[in-house]
Amino acid sequence: MEMVGKKKKKGRGRAAVVVLGDIGRSPRMQYHSLSLALQANLEVDIVAYGGSDPHSALLENPSIHIHTMRQWPSNNGILPKIFRPFMLLLKPLIQFVMLLWFLCIKIKAPDVFIVQNPPSVPTLVAVKWASWLRQSSIIIDWHNFGYTLLALSLGRSSRFVAVYHWVELHFGKLANGSLCVTKAMQHELEQVWGIKATVLYDQPPEFFRPAQLGEKHKLFCRIKNDMFQPNSPVDCISYGITSHDMQDPNKTLFTNKVEEDYHLKQNRPALIVSSTSWTPDEDFGILLEAAVMYDRRVAALLNENDSNGDEVLWKAIDEGKTFQYPRLLFVITGKGPEKGKYEEKIKKLNLKRVAFRTMWLSPGDYPLLLGSADLGVCLHTSSSGLDLPMKVVDMFGCGLPVCAVSYSCITELVKVDKNGLLFSSSSELADELMMLFKDFPNECDTLKTLKNGVLEMGSSARWATEWEANAKPLISQVISGDTS
C-alpha cells in the first residue's frame, strides 16, 4: 500500500466519505458517516448525489456535512445507439471534473477519504488525484467489483469492461487501506488482486428493530392509500374497502384499535416485503412466477371452482372467513430502471389471493415496515458472487426471516433453517411460501422457528459493534500513517 506524506494537523480530525451515487440509497456509507462522527470523533464531509433523503440521524448530527453533486441525466436511452460509446466516455470525464472540484475545492482537506466502490470509474481515479493534492490517505470500501456490474450490460468481452477492470485493479492497489463485505471477497482481493482487506460485515444500526403493535397500526394508517390504491383495479386486498374505511383511524388492513388496545386481525393477509433496486442483477420475474404458482396451487388444494369468479372468494374474506392458506400481500420497495416494466407485468397477472404494491418509504418508515412484516424475500444474485445484500441485513435487524436466492457466498449471511431459506427457482420459492404460510397466522411453526432464530442470532450483531472492532482500528492506523 502506498504511503502518503502527511502534514501534522491540529484540532479535530476530518474524514471525507465519497459516494458516486444517491446518499439516501447508500445505507452502508450513511452508517460509516455516523460512526466516523460518533465513534471516531471526526468531522465528516459526505460528497455524493442527492435524490433520496438520508436518515434523520445524519441530518441532525452537527459533525456531518453533506455536499450534494449534480446527478448525471438518466435518460440516455433516448439517444441513438451510435452515440453510446461517446456517452460512455463523456459521462466519466464530466463526473471526474465534478468530483475533483468538490474533493479539492469545496470541502476542507480531510485526513482520510473513504470511498465506496463500485462505481470505480472515475471515482477511484478522482479520489487518488485528490489525495495527492491534499496529502490525504484513502480507504476503499469494496461493496462489489465494478467491472462485473458493467459486464451485465456490455458483456464480459467488451473493451470498455477490460479498461474498467484495469482501472479498478490499478487504483485499488494504490489505496492505503481496504474494507470489504465478505470473507469470499477478502480472499479474492488478496489472492487475485494482491490487495489486503479487512472484512466489515454489514450489520443493522439500532433503528432497525422489530416494531411494536402500536407502531405497526400507526404505520398502516399512514400508508393506507398505498395499500388499498382506491383508484386502481380491485384485487383481494382492496375489495370491499369504502371511503369510511380509508378515513377510519381505528382500522387498517392488518390491525384494529379498540379504545387504547391494538389487535391483529385473524384473517389478515401475510405481509411479505422485498426491497429492490430494479436492476438486471435481481430477476424480479422469479417472484412473479412464484406468486402465480402459489395462487394456482392453493386454489387447486382447496378445490375452488374458477367459474365462481374472484369476487366470491373476496366477499367471503371481507365477511371474516379464514382459509388454510392466507392471501399474500407483497410490498416491493425501491427505485430503479426496470420498475415500470415489472409494474406492467404485475397488472396482467389476474391473481385471486395474491397482490402486489410498489412504494418508496421514508427512511423512518422503511425499518417500521420491515419490523411489521411476516417474511422478507431477496432476489439479489451478485454480479461477482462475492457481495452480500444489505437489504437482508436490515430485515434481520427487524426480526424478519428471509427467503433469498442462492449463490456462492450467501450462506455467510443466511443460515438455512435458522434465520431463513434459500431458493434457486420460482418453483422452490412457491414451495417455501406454501410451507411457511400454511395455517397462518396461528400455526405456521416453521415461520415462527425462523423468526425466533433471527431474533436470537441478531441480538448482539449491530453496526456500531462491528465497526468498532474492524473499521475503527484500520481507519486510526491509516490516519496515523501506520499501515505496515
Side-chain angles (χ1 to χ4, degrees), residues 224-230 237-238 241 246 252-253 357:
K224 267 189 181 182
N225 270 333
D226 292 310
M227 289 292 192
F228 292 128
Q229 296 186 340
I237 298 301
S238 59
I241 299 301
M246 296 295 295
T252 77
L253 179 61
R357 300 290 186 265

Side-chain angles (χ1 to χ4, degrees), residues 99-249:
L99 276 168
L100 278 185
W101 170 255
F102 273 82
L103 300 182
C104 296
I105 306 296
K106 294 276 283 184
I107 66 171
K108 295 180 180 179
D111 296 287
V112 61
F113 289 104
I114 299 177
V115 55
Q116 172 184 299
N117 184 74
S120 318
V121 178
T123 323
L124 299 186
V125 184
V127 172
K128 186 57 197 175
W129 279 36
S131 75
W132 280 328
L133 292 169
R134 311 213 75 173
Q135 298 187 9
S136 304
S137 302
I138 304 173
I139 293 175
I140 298 175
D141 190 19
W142 297 83
H143 297 193
N144 201 346
F145 294 143
Y147 81 94
T148 64
L149 289 170
L150 187 62
L152 289 177
S153 57
L154 299 184
R156 290 266 179 166
S157 60
S158 167
R159 291 183 180 179
F160 284 107
V161 173
V163 171
Y164 199 107
H165 187 190
W166 181 88
V167 171
E168 190 170 21
L169 173 63
H170 177 74
F171 284 89
K173 286 183 175 181
L174 297 179
N176 303 92
S178 288
L179 297 165
C180 65
V181 294
T182 64
K183 290 179 180 177
M185 184 176 285
Q186 180 190 46
H187 182 267
E188 179 81 4
L189 283 168
E190 185 166 4
Q191 298 299 316
V192 179
W193 296 53
I195 295 171
K196 186 176 180 182
T198 299
V199 177
L200 175 67
Y201 280 120
D202 284 318
Q203 299 291 358
E206 297 301 323
F207 43 81
F208 281 88
R209 56 173 178 76
Q212 301 298 315
L213 189 51
E215 292 176 314
K216 295 180 183 182
H217 181 84
K218 291 170 185 174
L219 171 69
F220 295 141
C221 283
R222 287 197 296 275
I223 61 175
K224 267 189 181 182
N225 270 333
D226 292 310
M227 289 292 192
F228 292 128
Q229 296 186 340
N231 298 319
S232 298
V234 175
D235 59 20
C236 66
I237 298 301
S238 59
Y239 179 85
I241 299 301
T242 66
S243 57
H244 178 265
D245 294 328
M246 296 295 295
Q247 301 299 324
D248 189 347

